Amino acid sequence: MGLLDDKVVLVNGGSQGVGAAIARAAVREGAVVAVTGRRTEPGEALVAELAAAGGKALFVRADLSDAEQAKASVAEVVDAYGRIDCLVNSAGLTSRGTLLDTTPELFDQHIAINLKAPFFAMQAAVQDMVARKAPGTIVNIITSSAHGGQPFLAPYVSAKAGLIGLTRNAAHAHRWDRVRINGLNIGWTATEGEDATQKAFHGADDGWRESAAAGLPMGKLGQPDEIADFVVFLLSERSGVVTGSVIDWDQNVLGGLD
């Protein structure tokens, strides 16, 4: 449909999982895409895949736990393409910790990746949009666990709940600049990162996806390509004037009781 024709889109944390799916969907809809990641090999492999499909893409190596690198990722895109039209913050740290066993170091890691990096990437992107007096769109990938979550997600929930507040605050602050900012609270999703997390922290075997899916209402985990299509819609003009919305993209209805 060309929903993002000629748009310059940066997907932070875009070298795998949901971020990579968003990058693929954005290219299919006509965007020029840049993706960031800490590891060069998967990032360059994704860019090569997108180029082979006829897309225009750039890999930016960045450790988003460093706020300066988060800002620099935007600057590199602006240097390469002259502007940034859309930003997606999809990087996330999901390492486990409870209220009782989380160390200050682990807490700081979650704040750095899940809250501080989006803050300063948004700052840099909105600065470019405002300086050009141009509209723009931002989507933050959050989590349905930000409503409360499991006990072993204490630092993750703390940071992601902060990202919900930031999303709404920034959307309100920049609505007159025509910069629309929304968030997506995704549920349990089948990604490479989730596979590693389940095996590292919960002793899961290779069949965990099937077992997990069997216990969910729709009989499957969230699919990155379906999330990506929704994100592209939110980035596009077809989502109209919507801003400051944090949407629960999940199959469980929070607050509903059986």
Side-chain angles (χ1 to χ4, degrees):
M1 294 175 61
L3 289 175
L4 297 177
D5 274 348
D6 301 320
K7 298 294 186 184
V8 176
V9 179
L10 170 60
V11 184
N12 269 330
S15 61
Q16 66 176 20
V18 170
I22 293 167
R24 293 185 183 102
V27 165
R28 285 196 304 270
E29 293 296 335
V32 174
V33 173
V35 297
T36 68
R38 286 182 298 174
R39 295 185 297 130
T40 300
E41 185 177 348
E44 291 186 342
L46 176 62
V47 165
E49 173 196 326
L50 297 175
K56 189 173 182 181
L58 170 72
F59 173 65
V60 178
R61 188 178 182 279
D63 180 353
L64 297 175
S65 65
D66 179 350
E68 291 303 317
Q69 291 190 47
K71 292 195 292 184
S73 69
V74 175
E76 189 163 337
V77 172
V78 174
D79 287 344
Y81 299 119
R83 69 185 196 278
I84 181 169
D85 299 306
C86 309
L87 170 67
V88 180
N89 286 306
S90 65
L93 178 68
T94 59
S95 51
R96 298 337 198 190
T98 69
L99 178 65
L100 299 182
D101 63 23
T102 294
T103 63
E105 292 77 16
L106 178 60
F107 186 85
D108 287 346
Q109 289 170 11
H110 276 271
I111 294 297
I113 293 290
N114 295 326
L115 180 56
K116 195 173 182 180
F119 186 104
F120 286 102
M122 288 168 64
Q123 179 188 82
V126 173
Q127 283 172 341
D128 174 70
M129 295 165 185
V130 170
R132 292 184 294 109
K133 294 182 171 58
T137 51
I138 296 173
V139 174
N140 292 319
I141 304 301
I142 314 178
T143 173
S144 57
S145 294
H147 291 287
Q150 297 93 327
F152 55 75
L153 293 178
Y156 176 68
V157 168
S158 300
K160 288 291 194 177
L163 185 53
I164 288 178
L166 171 60
T167 299
R168 291 179 172 141
N169 179 271
H172 175 74
H174 293 285
R175 68 198 192 282
W176 289 104
D177 296 313
R178 296 179 297 152
V179 176
R180 297 190 299 110
I181 304 171
N182 295 291
L184 208 59
N185 281 336
I186 63 173
W188 202 0
T189 305
T191 64
E192 302 97 315
E194 182 61 17
D195 182 62
T197 296
Q198 288 296 320
K199 291 176 178 177
F201 293 100
H202 302 287
D205 57 26
D206 288 337
W208 72 266
R209 293 180 188 83
E210 291 74 19
S211 299
L216 293 172
M218 307 301 169
K220 66 177 184 178
L221 279 79
Q223 301 300 305
D225 61 325
E226 295 171 352
I227 294 170
D229 287 342
F230 198 83
V231 170
V232 164
F233 172 74
L234 288 175
L235 293 174
S236 78
E237 294 177 3
R238 291 302 300 158
S239 55
V241 298
V242 174
T243 193
S245 290
V246 179
I247 301 162
D248 287 337
W249 199 95
D250 200 0
Q251 55 194 299
N252 292 309
V253 181
L254 297 173
L257 297 173
D258 293 324

